[in-house]
Amino acid sequence: MNHRTSPVKHGRKVLPARRPQRLLPFSLLLLAAALALPPAAVSEGAERPVSDAQPGEASVTANESSTAADRLAGEINARLAEVWRREAIVPAKRTGSDVFFRRVHLDLIGRIPSASAASRFAAIDSPAERRRLVQELAASAASAEHRSRFLRTTWFPQTSVDPYQYLAPDTERWIASQLKKRLPLNQIARELVAGSRNSTPRTFVESNDHRSAQMAGNAVGAFLGVDLSCAQCHDHPQAKWTQDQFWQTAAFFERAPDDQEFALDQLSIAIPDTERSVQAALFTGESWQAQPLAASSSAQPSATASAPDRSGRALFAEWMSGPANPFFARRLANEFWSEFFGRPLTTALDGSTAGDPELEALLDGIAAALVASDFDSRLLIEAYALTDAYQLSSETASETASETASETEPGAPAAINSASGRYFERAAVRGLTGEQLFDSLDTAAGRLVVREDLDAPARIQERQRFREQFRIASNSRPQRSILQSLGLMNGDLTARLVSAEENATIAALASTPFMDEAACVESLFWAVLSRAPREEEIRRLQEAGLSVEERPTRARRYGQLFWLLVNTVEFNTNH
């Protein structure tokens, strides 16, 4: 298919072309927009386990945290229900099985489900099956790898861009390996900052150019959610933090004296453009009992919490990740929440501005549960996916009753054009990251998802280039840039995936002798959108000549339909 031919004007709802070979990209784009309709309805059914995790991916079979996750989900439900009553909000309806199945796959393992798994789940969906699905996906190795990408971008956002991008692959691999061992999140964070083992990636030091001030800003901002960097140059009249507090924090990251032992008060740093120096001190004002510390070069490193600290950096990492720290658990709970719900519970973790008291209390409760679980990340992702709020539709009640996407922005899900959903009364429409989009294209095309420990370097590099091209700053903005949209329409990967030679889904459907046209089109919809086509969509496809009983043209027509579906807003968002 040539996607670079000149566009031809057509009416949005009437596509007169009956011969599929005359369909041009602009025609397909209009049809893609027309097919971006609201989600389908729920179907209830019997029981059967469903997981799209690949064989051998599960690293932990039994989920010991399920009871705690159920309890936490119940507490979240009660809190949000109170907020909805206070605000007189009617939450959206419960989402359909197809949307939930796709949503939870994207959030827990970073890609859409296979067609067979999606259609199976639609026939057996029930609350018990949803719970079982969440537990299975959360326990998979694919989930650990997806969480490693999220944690890397949360703790080291600078590694998503040059010149620190080269640190991202090793950092993600290391974090994933720790998550597969089910190590606590605070232990992983402490090790990344302290760097006391030779096997720990030096991401923290290298991505901050070995500079104490940058390390202080990264540690406090990305790991604790406190913006201390604004006080680096001088005090601000309305700011909560002072310049001294910033540099006292930076002093922790100064090199220790070259002695076998040293005391904390020996760590100091000169404040630039002044004649003053300050000693290391916690910005919270907590007192720190000075004690002799072994120098970092003098002893064998250890990862245990009870081992003696050997540098100011290790001391700060110990305090930063400790269960008594008022910021660390809240930061993690808030960031995971934003990842699942499209917006955080609060935007001021350090209390510099007042948030909604109910939502602040909810965040405190989640943080306390995370500490009580010994910082188990699976507690958060299971509890969040099991909440009522997570399982709501992205449509509002009024939209469900009267809207169609064509009445708002052409091609956009209705939720994009509606009210903000400030209190999580409906699901947010979120954009896919480059990784999610690439892996979902592979899954839709029936190709194995890239694994860095198995695939050839060329394939791994193709995925890295794609994720950089389709990088998004935040999943809260579902719109792609024009260049990204054009890249998906006319890019090399999409051009190859519309061919039966590189698309196993198209090849199988084009060659199967026992499926009629309707069954093949339905299967392609399940493969790409994780749902069956609706009657209106079938009619439009017939008008466009993409659904006719003509076996010799199947491969070409299904390539066109695949291109059309992957360019819909529905495929490009998590709704």
Side-chain angles (χ1 to χ4, degrees):
M1 184 188 303
N2 178 10
H3 297 310
R4 295 180 170 81
T5 51
S6 301
V8 177
K9 292 183 179 180
H10 290 288
R12 181 166 182 272
K13 295 184 177 179
V14 180
L15 292 172
R18 304 292 299 178
R19 293 175 62 83
Q21 62 271 28
R22 289 188 177 179
L23 278 172
L24 298 173
F26 190 63
S27 309
L28 291 174
L29 183 60
L30 289 174
L31 189 54
L35 289 176
L37 299 175
V42 180
S43 63
E44 301 289 346
E47 64 263 50
R48 190 168 159 189
V50 177
S51 171
D52 198 45
Q54 294 181 358
E57 280 187 337
S59 57
V60 182
T61 53
N63 189 342
E64 300 85 356
S65 69
S66 57
T67 302
D70 290 333
R71 190 163 51 245
L72 179 56
E75 292 171 5
I76 295 170
N77 290 342
R79 284 278 186 184
L80 287 182
E82 182 61 34
V83 172
W84 293 340
R85 274 193 295 272
R86 184 194 72 190
E87 299 293 326
I89 289 174
V90 178
K93 65 178 182 180
R94 187 179 170 88
T95 193
S97 58
D98 49 2
V99 173
F100 173 79
F101 197 68
R102 182 180 187 273
R103 180 186 299 169
V104 80
H105 273 75
L106 283 167
D107 282 331
L108 266 62
I109 65 171
R111 60 178 181 266
I112 64 171
S114 68
S116 58
S119 60
R120 251 195 335 266
F121 185 82
I124 63 172
D125 184 22
S126 69
E129 287 303 323
R130 292 190 180 200
R131 185 174 181 275
R132 191 198 307 266
L133 170 68
V134 168
Q135 291 175 351
E136 288 185 1
L137 292 181
S140 70
S143 179
E145 289 160 9
H146 183 57
R147 268 175 283 157
S148 75
R149 288 190 282 276
F150 164 71
L151 289 171
R152 193 265 303 166
T153 55
T154 298
W155 287 336
F156 304 109
Q158 65 271 42
T159 58
S160 294
V161 295
D162 281 335
Y164 307 113
Q165 273 182 315
Y166 74 96
L167 295 165
D170 284 346
T171 307
E172 289 178 8
R173 269 193 292 273
W174 186 85
I175 295 175
S177 69
Q178 308 306 299
L179 292 173
K180 288 172 185 174
K181 298 174 189 172
R182 212 166 177 183
L183 293 182
L185 288 171
N186 66 330
Q187 184 174 329
I188 297 171
R190 182 173 63 238
E191 188 55 34
L192 280 168
V193 173
S196 58
R197 288 183 292 179
N198 291 334
S199 59
T200 307
R202 293 179 56 77
T203 313
F204 181 73
V205 174
E206 294 189 19
S207 66
N208 289 301
D209 295 333
H210 299 255
R211 296 175 182 272
S212 299
Q214 288 181 221
M215 285 190 273
N218 188 179
V220 175
F223 287 84
L224 301 180
V226 177
D227 187 8
L228 209 59
S229 298
C230 61
Q232 181 174 352
C233 299
H234 50 76
D235 294 342
H236 289 269
Q238 281 108 20
K240 183 174 183 178
W241 311 109
T242 66
Q243 186 184 30
D244 278 4
Q245 287 174 310
F246 175 84
W247 289 102
Q248 287 165 349
T249 305
F252 279 99
F253 301 94
E254 285 289 278
R255 292 182 65 86
D258 190 21
D259 296 326
Q260 291 300 307
E261 291 187 343
F262 66 93
L264 181 62
D265 57 11
Q266 290 178 264
L267 293 175
S268 64
I269 190 170
I271 300 177
D273 302 324
T274 72
E275 297 180 352
R276 294 190 300 119
S277 294
V278 292
Q279 295 176 340
L282 297 174
F283 67 89
T284 56
E286 297 170 71
S287 61
W288 193 290
Q289 185 177 0
Q291 54 186 326
L293 304 171
S296 57
S297 59
S298 65
Q300 278 296 109
S302 171
T304 60
S306 59
D309 295 294
R310 293 174 175 84
S311 71
R313 182 152 59 95
L315 265 182
F316 187 87
E318 189 74 28
W319 170 81
M320 177 197 80
S321 58
N325 189 298
F327 301 106
F328 184 76
R330 274 171 59 89
R331 165 72 169 169
L332 279 173
N334 203 41
E335 287 302 304
F336 270 99
W337 182 278
S338 182
E339 179 74 0
F340 275 65
F341 295 92
R343 63 174 56 214
L345 284 166
T346 181
T347 56
L349 284 172
D350 61 357
S352 55
T353 58
D356 184 282
E358 286 289 342
L359 298 184
E360 292 280 352
L362 172 57
L363 181 58
D364 287 338
I366 297 171
L370 180 61
V371 173
S373 73
D374 194 19
F375 292 91
D376 184 357
S377 62
R378 277 172 49 188
L379 170 72
L380 291 185
I381 62 175
E382 286 186 30
Y384 288 174
L386 292 172
T387 59
D388 292 340
Y390 183 80
Q391 299 184 50
L392 295 177
S393 169
S394 59
E395 302 172 75
T396 63
S398 59
E399 288 165 345
T400 304
S402 61
E403 91 321 328
T404 65
S406 61
E407 292 171 333
T408 56
E409 178 185 342
I416 292 178
N417 302 286
S418 65
S420 64
R422 176 184 176 187
Y423 294 106
F424 311 102
E425 68 271 21
R426 60 172 172 73
V429 179
R430 292 167 285 153
L432 301 188
T433 64
E435 295 93 338
Q436 287 175 316
L437 187 58
F438 186 92
D439 292 347
S440 295
L441 284 168
D442 267 353
T443 303
R447 307 191 331 165
L448 292 175
V449 174
V450 172
R451 286 187 54 177
E452 295 195 356
D453 56 338
L454 296 177
D455 283 295
R459 185 119 159 79
I460 296 171
Q461 290 165 7
E462 179 188 31
R463 184 173 183 272
Q464 290 174 346
R465 287 194 302 272
F466 188 93
R467 83 176 192 177
E468 289 165 18
Q469 181 182 0
F470 289 89
R471 184 170 59 85
I472 57 174
S474 167
N475 69 357
S476 62
R477 299 184 60 185
Q479 294 88 353
R480 293 199 180 281
S481 70
I482 292 176
L483 286 179
Q484 288 175 336
S485 298
L486 290 173
L488 187 60
M489 285 190 283
N490 299 319
D492 177 66
L493 177 62
T494 311
R496 287 189 283 115
L497 290 183
V498 301
S499 163
E501 282 73 31
E502 297 215 27
N503 189 318
T505 302
I506 294 175
L509 293 175
S511 60
T512 181
F514 51 84
M515 290 174 66
D516 62 15
E517 187 66 22
C520 287
V521 169
E522 179 173 338
S523 295
L524 196 52
F525 264 76
W526 279 109
V528 180
L529 300 182
S530 308
R531 65 171 176 82
R534 298 166 196 132
E535 290 186 8
E536 173 65 11
E537 291 167 332
I538 293 173
R539 183 185 66 76
R540 290 175 187 269
L541 292 175
Q542 289 171 340
E543 288 178 354
L546 287 175
S547 180
V548 293
E549 290 290 352
E550 195 175 270
R551 289 182 180 271
T553 63
R554 272 187 171 184
R556 176 170 46 77
R557 285 187 291 107
Y558 296 162
Q560 292 176 327
L561 180 55
F562 184 88
W563 183 90
L564 184 153
L565 295 178
V566 299
N567 280 289
T568 58
V569 175
E570 184 173 352
F571 180 78
N572 281 268
T573 57
N574 187 0
H575 45 83

